[in-house]
Amino acid sequence: MPGPAPDRGRDPVRTGAKVGRMTKWEYATVPLLVHATKQILDTWGEDGWELVQVVPGPNNPEQLVAYLKREKQ
């Protein structure tokens, strides 16, 4: 009876294989003004920030909050 299939190294986590440098990120939370959303996001985007998600604010659901990330330098 054959045993389990041999591990061919496809899963670096299970095999313990070393993978290239892990990307490190920094994050920002930014309140969005409804009348200036595009301008705010464009400004942050020009500085290398990527929009991850927009959610309602914790105290006021009508106030939106943007979550952004960029690679740490």
Side-chain angles (χ1 to χ4, degrees):
M1 189 184 255
D7 186 358
R8 302 196 190 283
R10 290 189 186 112
D11 184 349
V13 174
R14 285 191 319 154
T15 63
K18 297 255 182 194
V19 185
R21 181 182 74 84
M22 184 157 61
T23 302
K24 297 191 181 198
W25 302 98
E26 60 181 323
Y27 298 90
T29 54
V30 180
L32 295 176
L33 305 172
V34 176
H35 64 277
T37 301
K38 182 182 179 335
Q39 181 182 1
I40 293 167
L41 293 175
D42 282 349
T43 299
W44 282 83
E46 287 175 10
D47 288 336
W49 292 93
E50 178 182 357
L51 178 65
V52 175
Q53 185 174 19
V54 175
V55 298
N59 300 324
N60 179 359
E62 293 177 15
Q63 173 66 56
L64 299 176
V65 177
Y67 286 81
L68 304 120
K69 73 175 186 177
R70 71 176 172 188
E71 190 171 353
K72 223 174 190 181
Q73 299 298 320

